[in-house]
Amino acid sequence: MAILVIAEHDNANVQASTLNTVTAAAELSGHGAGDIVLLVAGSECAAAAEAAAKVAGVSKVLVADDAAQENALAENLASLVVGLAGDYSHILAPASTFGKNFLPRVAALLDVQQISEISAVVDGETFVRPIYAGNAMATVKSADPTKVITVRTTTFDPAPAEGGSGAVEPVDAGDDGGQSRFVERAESGGDRPELTTARVIISGGRGMGSGESFDLIEPIADKLGAAMGASRAAVDAGYVPNDWQVGQTGKVVAPELYVAIGISGAIQHLAGMKDSKVIVAINKDEEAPIFQVADYGLVADLFQALPELDAELAKILS
Amino acid sequence: MKVLVPVKRVIDYNVKIRVKADNTGVETANVKMSMNPFDEISVEEAIRMKEAGTVEEIIVVSMGVQQCQETIRTALAMGADRGIHVKSDEDLEPLAVAKLLKAIVDKESPELVILGKQAIDDDSNQTGQMLAALLGWSQGTFVSKIELGDGSAKVTREVDSGLETIEVDLPTIVTVDLRLNEPRYASLPNIMKAKKKPIDEVAPADLGIDTAPRLQTLKVEEPPVRQAGVMVDSVAALVDKLKNEARVI
Ligand SMILES: Cc1cc2nc3c(=O)[nH]c(=O)nc-3n(C[C@H](O)[C@H](O)[C@H](O)COP(=O)(O)OP(=O)(O)OC[C@H]3O[C@@H](n4cnc5c(N)ncnc54)[C@H](O)[C@@H]3O)c2cc1C
C-alpha cells in the first residue's frame, strides 16, 4: 500500500519540512512500502500542488482546494485525512506545529497509537525516536495496521524539490465542521532565513540582558546570512518573539554552524541544537554546560566579544 | 463551568536521566519525580479561571502508579478541588490515556479540559489532540493565551511562524505552552488543606477501557555523544578556526 504525506505549504509553495518528510517516506518505500502520495489541503493552492508534484519521488498529489482547508484547522484537516486513510499503510506529516496539531487527531480517529517525531526508519514498522529531550533514543515497533507518524525534519535530508512528475488529482476537501475559526496570525517574519532551514544560526540567551542587545547580533547575522534564535529564558523575558525559541519545546535545528551567545546550555536548550554540525559558545562563565557540547568555546563578555566578532568578520568577508 | 485537568507524574526536569544498562528504558529508581511542568501551567490556568469566577470546580486526574496521588495532591494544594486517580502499573500510551480521559469526561461533563502540550518524558505531544478527536470536540493547541467567552473561547497559539489566534466552540480541549502563565507554589496551609480533599481511585477496567500498548519498545539507548571541542582565547582565534579548520564561514 502507498504512503500518504500531508504537505505543509503556504498555498504557493511546499515548505522545506515537506521535503524532509518525503525523504522519510522514501526510506519506507525502500523497506517495501508503496508509492509516495502527497496531500495538499488548502485554499487556492494549485501552485503548491504543482510544486508538490515536482518533488522527486512523489508519484501522485491529491489536492483538496477549499475554503474549509484554508488555515489547516485541525478538525477539518483531520477529518479529510481520515477519509483518505483507507488506501495507505503509512500516514506522515512533519513534526512541526502544523503536523503536531492535527495528526494525533487522525491517529485517534483511526484507533492508532501515533509515533511522534521519528529520527530514523529501521523498517516499515520500526522507528527510532528521541525521548527525554533527546537524552535517550527509543526504538519502537508499531503493531497498528496503519502507521501514523510525525517526522523530525532535521534528521532527514530534504528530497530534491525538482525532478518528480507526479500526477495531480483533485479530491473532495470535506465540509467545514465549523467548530473552530481562524482569527488572525501575527508572524514575526522578516528577511532572515527561517530557523529550521538556515545554514547558520546565532542564538542569544538571558545573558543578552535585553531585546536591544540583540542589535549586536544583527550585523553578524547579516554577514553570515544567519537566522537568529534564542533560549526560552530570552523569549520569556520578552527580548525576542516566541518563534525564535530553540529547544525541547521550541524548534529543533541542525545547521552547519550554531553560535550560542549568553546561553548556559540547559538540557532543554541542547535538545534543540545539539545535532548542529559545528557549535560555538560564547559565555563569560567557563563552567557553563554549553561548553561541553561546543566545538569552539570562548570565555568572554558578550558585550565585548560581539562587536569584535563583527569587526573580524568584516575583515575576512570583505 | 467545570474544568478537568490531567496531570502526569514524570522525572523532574532538572534530573539528568540515565539509560538503563540493559537498554530497556531509563533509570527511575531513586530519581526525583514531579508534576510535568506543562501540567502545572494547566492547573494554574484553571485556578485563575476559578479565581476570576468563570469556573466552579476543578477536577484533576492522574494515571499510573500509586505515587501519582502525590502529583494529584500537589495540584490540590495549588487550588484544585478534587482528584481522580486511574491506577495502573502498566505504561499507558497517549491513545490509552485519551480513551481513559474520554470515559471520565463522559461521566463528569466538564466544558473545558486543559492539558499540557507535551509530557517531558516521552515528548509525544498527542494526548490533548487525541482526546478532542475521540470526543468530537474542537481543540486549541500550544496555547499562550485563553479568553473564555460565551459558548466559545479565543486562544492564541504558539506556532512555528509566530502567533496564531483561533476561536473554538465550547466544550473544548486546550493544550498549554510555557508562556501561558507562571504556576504558583502551594502555601503550607493549602498543603495541609489539600490532605482532606477527596481523591477517587478507579482502574482502567472500571472505565471499560482496554489499555494494551500498541508500541513495543525494542530498546532505549544513549544518544551519540559529541566529541569534546577546544577553547579559544580570542575572537580572532575563533574566526580563524571557523574559517580555516571547520570551514563553515
Ligand atoms: C518544561 C521545560 C521546557 C523548556 N524548554 C526549553 C526550550 O525549548 N528551550 C530553551 O532554551 N529552554 C527551555 N527550557 C528552559 C531551560 O531549562 C533553561 O532555563 C533556559 O534554557 C535557560 O536559558 P539561558 O541559557 O538563556 O539562561 P541562563 O541559564 O540564565 O543562562 C544565561 C547565561 O548567560 C551567561 N552570561 C550572562 N551575562 C553574560 C555576558 N555579559 N557575557 C557572556 N555571557 C553572559 C551566563 O554565564 C549564563 O551561562 C525549558 C524548561 C522547562 C522546565
Side-chain angles (χ1 to χ4, degrees):
Chain A
M1 278 212 282
I3 304 164
L4 183 65
V5 173
I6 320 302
E8 182 167 15
H9 65 89
D10 61 5
N11 291 318
N13 262 305
V14 291
Q15 240 76 304
S17 59
T18 302
L19 303 177
N20 305 110
T21 308
V22 167
T23 298
E27 289 191 19
L28 286 167
S29 294
H31 285 287
D35 289 346
I36 302 171
V37 177
L38 243 59
L39 172 67
V40 174
S43 179
E44 302 187 17
C45 55
E50 252 167 63
K54 290 197 193 114
V55 176
V58 171
S59 71
K60 188 157 79 176
V61 176
L62 305 178
V63 199
D65 194 338
D66 192 281
Q69 299 297 344
E70 184 171 358
N71 290 298
L73 293 169
E75 301 85 355
N76 293 349
L77 182 52
S79 79
L80 167 65
V81 174
V82 168
L84 298 168
D87 297 336
Y88 301 94
S89 58
H90 297 77
I91 302 177
L92 275 62
S96 54
T97 53
F98 161 79
K100 288 173 175 173
N101 184 41
F102 79 92
L103 203 64
R105 264 189 104 99
V106 172
L109 294 171
L110 297 174
D111 194 27
V112 165
Q113 174 52 55
Q114 174 178 305
I115 309 145
S116 287
E117 208 151 359
I118 62 162
S119 58
V121 172
V122 177
D123 60 37
E125 50 196 23
T126 314
F127 309 92
V128 180
R129 58 177 304 264
I131 54 175
Y132 292 94
N135 288 299
M137 306 301 288
T139 303
V140 296
K141 184 173 172 177
S142 164
D144 284 313
T146 310
K147 319 295 182 219
V148 177
I149 297 168
T150 60
V151 174
R152 173 167 278 218
T153 53
T154 51
T155 54
F156 295 91
D157 290 334
E162 300 283 336
S165 54
V168 178
E169 188 180 294
V171 293
D172 185 354
D175 294 329
D176 183 358
Q179 289 178 300
S180 62
R181 290 159 296 281
F182 174 79
V183 179
E184 62 179 351
R185 196 169 287 132
E187 305 199 333
S188 43
D191 302 335
R192 288 199 184 285
E194 261 211 74
L195 260 182
T196 47
T197 51
R199 198 188 67 83
V200 179
I201 295 174
I202 310 182
S203 289
R206 198 195 317 257
M208 298 299 293
S210 71
E212 289 75 62
S213 37
F214 277 77
D215 292 350
L216 294 172
I217 297 183
E218 242 168 52
I220 300 168
D222 286 341
K223 289 192 179 66
L224 296 176
M228 281 164 71
S231 69
R232 173 190 170 185
V235 176
D236 283 3
Y239 301 166
V240 294
N242 66 286
D243 52 306
W244 289 29
Q245 182 178 316
V246 170
Q248 179 185 20
T249 56
K251 286 181 178 151
V252 177
V253 299
E256 300 248 304
L257 173 61
Y258 187 92
V259 185
I261 297 170
I263 292 178
S264 61
I267 50 171
Q268 293 86 5
H269 187 79
L270 301 185
M273 45 64 78
K274 70 178 156 67
D275 293 332
S276 305
K277 197 159 149 246
V278 175
I279 297 175
V280 170
I282 301 179
N283 196 302
K284 68 176 181 191
D285 173 11
E286 61 181 310
E287 304 279 307
I290 189 77
F291 288 128
Q292 289 163 22
V293 300
D295 299 283
Y296 302 106
L298 174 64
V299 178
D301 185 303
L302 65 91
F303 294 100
Q304 217 174 333
L306 286 174
E308 269 181 53
L309 179 57
D310 186 42
E312 286 293 330
L313 288 173
K315 277 192 230 162
I316 62 158
L317 296 174
S318 60
Chain B
M1 72 166 84
K2 222 191 230 188
V3 176
L4 190 76
V5 184
V7 295
K8 186 174 186 182
R9 181 174 179 268
V10 298
I11 295 181
D12 187 85
Y13 79 96
N14 269 317
V15 171
K16 173 111 185 63
I17 63 116
R18 275 183 303 123
V19 171
K20 280 187 190 162
D22 65 0
N23 294 115
T24 55
V26 305
E27 204 59 72
T28 51
N30 300 317
V31 170
K32 184 180 178 209
M33 305 293 285
S34 300
M35 190 190 299
N36 179 37
F38 288 94
D39 302 346
E40 290 183 339
I41 296 171
S42 309
V43 174
E44 176 65 33
E45 194 65 15
I47 296 168
R48 290 187 190 187
M49 288 174 178
K50 192 175 173 192
E51 286 167 349
T54 42
V55 161
E56 281 97 51
E57 190 183 27
I58 303 167
I59 308 164
V60 292
V61 186
S62 193
M63 301 186 182
V65 295
Q66 186 61 32
Q67 293 91 324
C68 288
Q69 297 211 359
E70 293 164 18
T71 314
I72 295 176
R73 288 281 170 218
T74 305
L76 297 177
M78 287 171 73
D81 296 298
R82 63 185 167 94
I84 300 174
H85 176 208
V86 181
K87 197 172 168 218
S88 168
D89 291 335
E90 310 295 317
D91 271 342
L92 297 171
E93 292 174 347
L95 180 64
V97 172
K99 288 179 179 179
L100 291 164
L101 286 172
K102 177 180 183 293
I104 292 170
V105 168
D106 288 343
K107 248 166 78 181
E108 298 283 351
S109 312
E111 259 191 285
L112 177 65
V113 184
I114 312 179
L115 306 90
K117 77 164 179 181
Q118 77 194 70
I120 60 164
D121 49 4
D122 64 16
D123 285 329
S124 284
N125 196 331
Q126 299 176 5
T127 306
Q129 297 90 312
M130 287 184 151
L131 176 60
L134 296 176
L135 288 164
W137 288 9
S138 63
Q139 69 177 52
T141 54
F142 329 144
V143 159
S144 60
K145 193 171 166 202
I146 310 177
E147 290 168 81
L148 281 180
D150 203 13
S152 68
K154 212 164 146 185
V155 297
T156 302
R157 311 179 51 231
E158 293 205 358
V159 294
D160 288 341
S161 59
L163 296 171
E164 178 186 283
T165 304
I166 59 171
E167 194 181 51
V168 291
D169 287 345
L170 295 177
T172 195
I173 302 287
V174 169
T175 79
V176 306
D177 217 316
L178 293 167
R179 279 169 281 278
L180 180 63
N181 61 48
E182 240 179 89
R184 70 193 64 193
Y185 291 101
S187 66
L188 196 57
N190 285 344
I191 293 172
M192 300 311 289
K193 264 202 276 182
K195 295 196 170 145
K196 299 205 186 71
K197 293 183 180 176
I199 299 179
D200 278 344
E201 196 182 298
V202 293
D206 300 339
L207 296 167
I209 303 296
D210 171 13
T211 59
R214 309 292 184 81
L215 297 181
Q216 185 193 353
T217 300
L218 302 181
K219 60 182 173 193
V220 174
E221 296 165 296
E222 301 270 359
V225 281
R226 286 188 78 92
Q227 295 268 307
V230 297
M231 299 303 282
V232 293
D233 57 7
S234 69
V235 169
L238 173 64
V239 169
D240 177 64
K241 292 273 190 199
L242 291 178
K243 185 169 162 59
N244 299 315
E245 191 176 271
R247 297 174 194 273
V248 285
I249 58 173

